């Protein structure tokens, strides 16, 4: 009889928990730490990074340097929510080019902009769903001081806000050269990057977006003014160097593909990724149902550019509070039990499925196999 009573009580407790749908809903499954070099982690990271680049309208395409951490939260419904920390590098491709990060070249070390992204992504393979509700990234340029020690003659970055008139001169001179060699007259839209170097004299290198006028040189006299809402059509790399009274100008321009959508083709870009899942999260939003939850609709994210870390934390700043190198925050909720994310647009049919999102895991939750190996392993471009 002494053993029977505990067994009966245990059976009753198990029965109550197993039959309580409320408990099943509220108690999230534990987070699982994945190896950062596993095929699953790399595949999910590729999807997340593709979505980050697609969501942006300014800046350069980010490529994956390494997976720093990845946690999996299996849902009561099919699929899993992944919490990713990715170390990233800027490439030479502008985001308006719509190129995949895998098709873009990484920059040389002295030009590198690097950083970290945190992203939340839901993947449901049986239903062929990929949905990324949120991300945030923080980027910095590589340390100029350390680069100068290694390569004193390498080009140094300069401001693109036109505070240096020689930057604008390099852009206008190189664009003038391009226009003289082509039938259309393109105009400057925005300078995106600039650097300077002493070669035989001062030299300036610039990247800039260009916009297109509505007519060619032969019709320039009757050409209407370009609309104020005109958009960039391409990006140019130009340079202007001087040696005495001589000027040396070079320019190359690449044009973006038309962004006009083609019916029925919107999924094709995602099918290039290893898991070959179509992204339906943004295709089935005909009747989204907003709620008052903190993670209600299609929240996305931002990419924050910070100055050179040496500018914020000089070499002689011993004794001061250290600056956090990459303060990336991504919390859709602070509730340790998680919050529901109402996403009826993800699922076909009458089912009202909901995801459970948790507070973004802290750094202490990680696999022994994390971080993974880096594509560019130089310590200068690896977040601490």
């Amino acid at each position: 009889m002494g053993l029977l009573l505990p067994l009966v009580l245990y059976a009753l407790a198990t029965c109550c928990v197993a039959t309580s749908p409320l408990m099943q809903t509220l108690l999230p499954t534990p987070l699982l730490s994945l190896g950062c070099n596993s095929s699953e982690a790399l595949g999910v990271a590729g999807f997340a990074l593709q979505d980050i680049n697609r969501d942006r309208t300014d800046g350069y395409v980010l490529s994956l340097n390494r997976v720093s951490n990845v946690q999996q939260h299996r849902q009561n419904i099919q699929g899993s929510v992944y919490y990713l920390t990715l170390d990233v590098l800027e490439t030479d491709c502008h985001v308006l080019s719509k190129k995949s990060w895998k098709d873009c070249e990484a920059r040389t070390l002295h030009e590198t902009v690097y950083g970290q992204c945190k992203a939340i992504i839901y993947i449901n393979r049986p239903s062929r769903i990929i949905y990324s509700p949120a991300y945030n990234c923080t980027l910095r340029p590589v340390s100029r001081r350390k680069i100068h020690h290694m390569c004193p003659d390498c080009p140094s970055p300069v401001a693109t806000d036109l505070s240096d008139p020689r930057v604008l001169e390099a852009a206008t001179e190189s664009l003038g050269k391009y226009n003289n060699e082509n039938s259309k007259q393109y105009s400057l839209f925005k300078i995106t990057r600039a650097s300077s170097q002493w070669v035989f004299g001062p030299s300036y290198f610039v990247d800039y977006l260009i916009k297109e006028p509505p007519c060619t040189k032969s019709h320039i006299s009757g050409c209407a003014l370009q609309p104020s809402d005109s958009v960039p059509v391409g990006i140019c790399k130009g340079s202007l160097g001087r040696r005495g009274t001589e000027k040396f100008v070079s320019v190359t321009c690449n044009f973006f593909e038309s962004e006009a959508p083609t019916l029925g083709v919107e999924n094709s870009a995602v099918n290039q990724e290893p898991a070959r899942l179509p992204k339906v999260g943004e295709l089935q939003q005909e009747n989204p149902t907003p709620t008052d939850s903190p993670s209600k609709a299609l929240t996305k994210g931002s990419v924050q550019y910070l100055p050179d870390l040496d500018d914020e934390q000089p070499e002689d700043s011993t004794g001061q509070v250290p600056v956090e190198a990459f303060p990336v925050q991504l919390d859709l909720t602070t509730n340790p039990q998680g919050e529901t994310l109402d996403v009826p647009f993800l699922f076909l049919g009458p089912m009202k499925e909901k995801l459970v999102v948790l507070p973004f895991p802290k750094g202490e939750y990680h696999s022994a196999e994390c971080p993974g190996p880096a594509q560019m392993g130089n310590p200068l471009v690896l977040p601490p």
Side-chain angles (χ1 to χ4, degrees):
M1 183 66 180
L3 290 175
L4 182 60
L5 182 59
L7 289 174
V8 171
L9 293 175
Y10 175 78
L12 289 173
T14 303
C15 177
C16 291
V17 171
T19 57
S20 170
L22 179 62
M23 290 294 289
Q24 289 181 349
T25 301
L26 293 180
L27 290 178
T29 58
L31 286 170
L32 302 175
S33 296
L34 303 182
C36 284
N37 200 37
S38 66
S39 58
E40 181 175 9
L42 293 175
V44 173
F47 285 128
L49 199 52
Q50 174 183 275
D51 193 72
I52 290 171
N53 286 321
R54 181 193 290 122
D55 186 58
R56 299 166 60 212
T57 58
D58 191 28
Y60 290 83
V61 170
L62 300 178
S63 66
L64 179 65
N65 193 24
R66 69 178 180 183
V67 178
S68 185
N69 195 9
V70 55
Q71 304 287 324
Q72 180 184 14
H73 178 208
R74 291 175 179 163
Q75 301 291 294
N76 291 328
I77 57 175
Q78 291 178 327
S80 295
V81 173
Y82 296 85
Y83 301 85
L84 299 162
T85 302
L86 308 176
D87 294 342
V88 297
L89 301 170
E90 267 196 353
T91 69
D92 269 335
C93 299
H94 198 275
V95 293
L96 295 180
S97 70
K98 303 300 181 185
K99 288 185 178 180
S100 167
W101 61 270
K102 294 182 179 180
D103 298 329
C104 297
E105 293 292 331
R107 296 181 189 162
T108 54
L109 181 61
H110 68 272
E111 299 177 315
T112 300
V113 174
Y114 71 111
Q116 198 163 80
C117 293
K118 290 184 178 179
I120 299 174
I121 186 168
Y122 168 66
I123 294 183
N124 182 332
R125 294 180 184 275
S127 299
R128 301 178 65 79
I129 293 172
I130 302 174
Y131 171 59
S132 178
Y135 70 89
N136 275 327
C137 304
T138 300
L139 305 176
R140 291 186 189 271
V142 68
S143 167
R144 294 191 305 273
R145 174 175 54 81
K146 294 176 181 177
I147 290 295
H148 182 72
H149 288 328
M150 298 169 54
C151 178
D153 296 328
C154 284
S156 300
V158 293
T160 59
D161 60 1
L162 305 186
S163 57
D164 189 334
R166 290 167 293 186
V167 172
L168 179 59
E169 182 186 18
T172 54
E173 288 271 359
S174 59
L175 182 56
K177 175 181 173 64
Y178 187 85
N179 284 337
N180 289 335
E181 298 170 353
N182 293 275
S183 59
K184 287 185 179 179
Q185 295 292 285
Y186 296 96
S187 56
L188 180 65
F189 183 85
K190 178 184 179 182
I191 296 174
T192 58
R193 291 177 60 210
S195 61
S196 65
Q197 183 183 26
W198 187 272
V199 187
F200 298 106
S203 297
Y204 283 80
F205 309 90
V206 288
D207 289 10
Y208 51 91
L209 299 171
I210 56 174
K211 58 185 180 181
E212 184 179 35
C215 50
T216 62
K217 286 182 183 179
S218 59
H219 300 91
I220 197 70
S221 61
C223 186
L225 292 175
Q226 183 76 353
S228 59
D229 60 349
S230 60
V231 296
V233 296
I235 189 167
C236 298
K237 292 179 178 292
S239 68
L240 173 62
R242 296 181 183 276
R243 182 169 58 184
T245 58
E246 292 184 277
K247 288 195 300 187
F248 302 90
V249 181
S250 69
V251 63
T252 58
C253 294
N254 292 300
F255 292 87
F256 305 140
E257 294 182 5
S258 172
E259 297 184 14
T262 303
L263 189 61
V265 181
E266 191 165 351
N267 273 351
S268 61
V270 182
N271 289 333
Q272 303 299 318
E273 295 294 335
R276 302 191 181 280
L277 298 173
K279 185 178 179 86
V280 301
E282 295 180 351
L283 301 182
Q284 299 178 11
Q285 300 176 36
E286 297 177 1
N287 297 298
T289 307
T291 69
D292 291 329
S293 70
S295 51
K296 55 177 185 180
L298 300 168
T299 59
K300 278 298 183 178
S302 64
V303 176
Q304 179 185 22
Y305 286 84
L306 298 179
D308 186 333
L309 189 59
D310 293 336
D311 294 343
E312 293 189 356
Q313 186 172 285
E315 198 171 14
D316 60 353
S317 62
T318 55
Q320 295 185 4
V321 177
V323 174
E324 186 178 359
F326 294 94
V328 190
Q329 301 297 326
L330 186 63
D331 279 324
L332 295 185
T333 178
T334 57
N335 183 350
Q337 296 299 318
E339 298 280 356
T340 58
L341 184 67
D342 200 7
V343 286
F345 49 85
L346 292 179
F347 302 93
L348 300 175
M351 297 295 291
K352 299 296 184 182
E353 304 286 7
K354 293 185 178 183
L355 306 181
V356 177
V357 293
L358 302 173
F360 202 94
K362 304 301 181 183
E364 61 267 19
Y365 298 100
H366 62 83
S367 164
E369 301 174 10
C370 292
Q375 297 297 315
M376 184 183 289
N378 193 304
L380 293 183
V381 296
L382 291 177

